[in-house]
Amino acid sequence: METASFWGRVRRSEAASGLALISPTALYAILLLAAPLVTVVLYSFAQSEQGKIIWDFSLDNYIRIWSAPNVQLIMLRSLTVAASVTLATVLLAYPVAYFVSFHVAPSKKSLWLFLITIPFWTSYIIRVFLWKGIILGYNGVINTVLMGIGITDEPLQAINYNAGAMVMTLAHAYAPFAILPIFVSLEKIDRSLLEAGQDLGESRMMTFWRVTLPLSMAGVIAAVLIVFIPTIGDYVTPDLIGGGKVPMIANMIEVQMLKQNNKALGSAIAVTAMLIVCVVSIVFLLLNRRFLSGQK
Amino acid sequence: MKFPALKTYAVVYLIFLYAPIVLLPVFAFNDSKVIAFPLSGFTTEWFTQMWGDQQLFNAVKNSAIIAVSSAVIATSLGVFAARASTRFQFPYKAGIMGLIMLPMVLPEMIISMSMLVVLLAVGIPLSLFTIIMGHVLITTPFAVAILSSAFQSLDKSLEEAAYDLGETPLSTFRLIILPLVMPGIVSSLLICFTISIDEFIIAYFLGGNQTVLSVYIYGQFRFPAKVPSILALGTILVALSIVLLSIAEYFRRRGIAKTGAKDTGGFL
């Protein structure tokens, strides 16, 4: 009797119902995401010999990575490319998010958002292919335009296969990712604050600078992180647009893991990449913490 | 319309976003092996050529199996997580939800490599099944995001009324909650299907020697002669994505209208 009522209480308790309900999804994520990530971290401290893992705890892999000039170069390049893509995407996205939030009739807002997100849902590989072949190619749109307006006489060879082309392709791919969080934070702004600003004699520009922008910074910060993190780990664009000549972190992980079959070293590179992303994100959040406090 | 400059910018931005997708059918119907302006004439030859490719049919079949399975499993897992997180308070909620949503921001390369390491260590052979495992992992966060907004807009008093009238939790879920969130479920299924069909990295690294659609396309990059028929294939894929997304959007809006909530915008 005693135990029955105990179990009855447990079953009715909110915590138990919640945990029971979420357990299938949580277990899936633990087994297929958390466990593999932990394995990679463990591998990074082990050694690979002829494709076999030897459990010999050491920091050798990390020392090898950090002292290799080509690894440093690739890490630095990945950071630069990801930072440029993030800067371009967020700067270009902000006015669009602002326009949709402040100047589009409420009934039309979801149509605009839908139009903005559609390209994001179409095949990434097809879009990269289009950039490579049609827009940046030897006979592509950019060369045609450049020759048409007389800037060059013959097609430029070099617009493919470089970091600039990669930045453009990636900035195009991640554009909607930047617009949505900024839009959400702009939507949350109490419009009467803006009127108050103007009533108190601020110009339209100053109201934007001193009221709207600081209040929407939470969205900008979210946009920065949501673009920066996947971009730094992108594999397809460096492989296809860069033509393998300008590898980034993901390409280096592939080479070590599969082509060299050195799982331990590959794991160490993956962990290093994740650490760099974490450090950059935390530093960025700390730098902007004044915009995040007091909101929610 | 106080800011025509801003509107012009937004329209130019949309054109920039859509430029590649608009150029795609232009060249898919262009009568030339070389992808370049000026256009030389209309042809459907590339579509015919694509249709005759046996490898492609195989890839389409594999992709369809994977996308349907992933969509169904991810949406089911999404229902559990979305219902739990919107209805109940429980310990470690933020941590658990954070882990479930993590694949949305984690680079796919990291996900596929860490899964690959474990699959090889455990000795599970790479196949369509392992791709499904990966795709379920990356589509679940999207399912949770869509379904959470569906569950969030539910009025709790409807559920309480059902209990008062003698329904069990299970029958309440089936009779009251499920019909109300059905549009969200349909929308989630379509979005997960679209993501899975288009996904490349996991399919490439976890597929073993099985080829799916995106991997097939990637493989054709090396053959310049195949480019026009890939453009034809891309045209069909992009059209399919847009149709599925429009249906998903329709169901999402209907779901919001059904529960009487205010529409707050897009999918994410």
Side-chain angles (χ1 to χ4, degrees):
Chain A
M1 204 58 215
E2 183 73 359
T3 49
S5 74
F6 170 75
W7 282 113
R9 218 166 44 235
V10 167
R11 208 179 307 144
R12 275 195 304 274
S13 93
E14 195 173 311
S17 325
L19 281 174
L21 200 54
I22 205 161
S23 60
T25 321
L27 269 179
Y28 193 87
I30 289 169
L31 281 176
L32 279 111
L33 183 64
L37 287 177
V38 170
T39 313
V40 164
V41 173
L42 291 177
Y43 267 32
S44 72
F45 294 111
Q47 295 300 318
S48 269
E49 260 170 46
Q50 279 129 22
K52 282 210 162 61
I53 288 290
I54 294 158
W55 295 106
D56 172 26
F57 185 89
S58 75
L59 290 170
D60 287 359
N61 294 323
Y62 289 99
I63 295 166
R64 255 180 85 184
I65 292 170
W66 284 103
S67 55
N70 70 324
V71 177
Q72 291 168 3
L73 178 76
I74 292 174
M75 294 274 180
L76 198 65
R77 177 190 295 139
S78 306
L79 272 172
T80 325
V81 167
S84 323
V85 170
T86 310
L87 189 72
T89 334
V90 173
L91 283 182
L92 290 173
Y94 195 95
V96 179
Y98 184 86
F99 170 75
V100 177
S101 179
F102 282 76
H103 296 286
V104 169
S107 59
K108 293 245 177 74
K109 277 182 185 172
S110 51
L111 177 67
W112 268 88
L113 289 182
F114 183 59
L115 283 177
I116 288 166
T117 36
I118 278 191
F120 168 72
W121 295 110
T122 56
S123 170
Y124 182 45
I125 202 124
I126 291 273
R127 279 183 288 149
V128 172
F129 180 81
L130 288 166
W131 273 96
K132 187 187 169 74
I134 297 182
I135 299 177
L136 299 166
Y138 188 74
N139 291 314
V141 173
I142 290 186
N143 268 330
T144 314
V145 169
L146 286 180
M147 290 193 315
I149 55 178
I151 292 179
T152 56
D153 292 331
E154 53 187 87
L156 297 175
Q157 290 273 17
I159 46 178
N160 242 320
Y161 306 125
N162 65 38
M166 277 159 48
V167 170
M168 244 180 120
T169 312
L170 285 165
H172 185 265
Y174 286 96
F177 258 6
I179 293 182
L180 293 175
I182 299 175
F183 170 78
V184 169
S185 69
L186 286 170
E187 281 290 279
K188 282 189 193 151
I189 295 175
D190 188 348
R191 299 300 196 261
S192 58
L193 290 174
L194 307 181
E195 286 166 25
Q198 288 185 4
D199 287 349
L200 293 169
E202 293 277 32
S203 70
R204 199 178 284 270
M205 274 316 277
M206 283 310 281
T207 315
F208 172 79
W209 185 247
R210 291 177 42 167
V211 183
T212 316
L213 189 61
L215 284 176
S216 62
M217 273 309 278
V220 173
I221 291 163
V224 165
L225 293 180
I226 225 168
V227 173
F228 181 79
I229 298 172
T231 334
I232 199 166
D234 192 81
Y235 170 83
V236 179
T237 303
D239 192 49
L240 294 177
I241 300 281
K245 290 173 190 155
V246 270
M248 288 190 14
I249 292 177
N251 312 79
M252 190 163 57
I253 296 175
E254 187 217 356
V255 168
Q256 285 307 328
M257 285 271 195
L258 301 175
K259 301 209 170 105
Q260 306 280 351
N261 203 9
N262 191 337
K263 301 266 186 307
L265 197 63
S267 298
I269 298 175
V271 173
T272 308
M274 286 192 276
L275 281 178
I276 291 178
V277 168
C278 284
V279 169
V280 170
S281 308
I282 290 168
V283 168
F284 183 73
L285 284 174
L286 285 178
L287 285 177
N288 289 290
R289 65 181 179 280
R290 70 195 174 95
F291 293 114
L292 295 169
S293 58
Q295 285 190 27
K296 197 49 201 202
Chain B
M1 293 301 109
K2 281 179 206 153
F3 278 98
L6 209 51
K7 182 165 193 180
T8 316
Y9 174 76
V11 171
V12 169
Y13 189 89
L14 271 189
I15 294 173
F16 167 69
L17 274 188
Y18 279 84
I21 302 180
V22 173
L23 287 171
L24 178 62
V26 170
F27 285 104
F29 288 108
N30 184 30
D31 187 15
S32 164
K33 269 194 170 18
V34 184
I35 306 305
F37 286 111
L39 302 172
S40 54
F42 181 86
T43 178
T44 52
E45 187 197 331
W46 312 123
F47 286 85
T48 327
Q49 195 177 329
M50 179 196 82
W51 200 249
D53 192 337
Q54 187 52 45
Q55 250 185 312
L56 174 63
F57 267 91
N58 199 29
V60 169
K61 197 188 80 195
N62 287 343
S63 276
I65 294 171
I66 292 167
V68 170
S69 319
S70 310
V72 171
I73 301 171
T75 303
S76 314
L77 290 176
V79 168
F80 283 109
R83 173 72 174 153
S85 74
T86 51
R87 175 70 171 73
F88 299 104
Q89 288 302 325
F90 49 88
Y92 311 114
K93 184 173 170 179
I96 295 173
M97 286 311 287
L99 179 67
I100 293 172
M101 300 306 274
L102 186 62
M104 222 171 185
V105 284
L106 207 59
E108 282 175 7
M109 191 66 186
I110 304 273
I111 297 177
S112 61
M113 280 303 146
S114 52
M115 277 184 74
L116 185 70
V117 161
V118 169
L119 291 171
L120 292 179
V122 178
I124 299 173
L126 300 178
S127 64
L128 295 187
F129 179 68
T130 46
I131 303 180
I132 295 173
M133 285 162 74
H135 278 188
V136 168
L137 195 66
I138 58 156
T139 49
T140 302
F142 290 92
V144 173
I146 296 163
L147 290 164
S148 291
S149 69
F151 278 109
Q152 207 124 49
S153 51
L154 274 183
D155 190 348
K156 205 178 164 187
S157 57
L158 289 174
E159 198 185 320
E160 284 161 356
Y163 291 145
D164 290 347
L165 294 168
E167 294 290 346
T168 63
L170 210 63
S171 64
T172 309
F173 186 80
R174 193 171 57 84
L175 293 170
I176 310 291
I177 300 170
L178 207 54
L180 283 172
V181 295
M182 208 47 183
I185 291 176
V186 174
S187 164
S188 159
L189 283 172
L190 293 170
I191 294 282
C192 293
F193 181 89
T194 313
I195 297 174
S196 171
I197 278 274
D198 290 339
E199 202 284 331
F200 168 71
I201 292 178
I202 287 173
Y204 184 57
F205 290 117
L206 297 186
N209 52 11
Q210 295 282 357
T211 302
V212 303
L213 209 43
S214 55
V215 177
Y216 170 84
I217 294 171
Y218 178 81
Q220 304 297 313
F221 270 81
R222 273 168 290 150
F223 310 111
K226 291 282 190 85
V227 166
S229 63
I230 290 300
L231 294 181
L233 175 62
T235 306
I236 294 175
L237 268 181
V238 168
L240 180 74
S241 292
I242 294 175
V243 169
L244 288 178
L245 291 168
S246 306
I247 301 172
E249 171 74 2
Y250 168 78
F251 274 100
R252 193 188 63 83
R253 286 194 197 182
R254 217 182 69 173
I256 287 168
K258 222 176 184 177
T259 48
K262 193 173 146 274
D263 191 355
T264 47
F267 292 115
L268 292 173

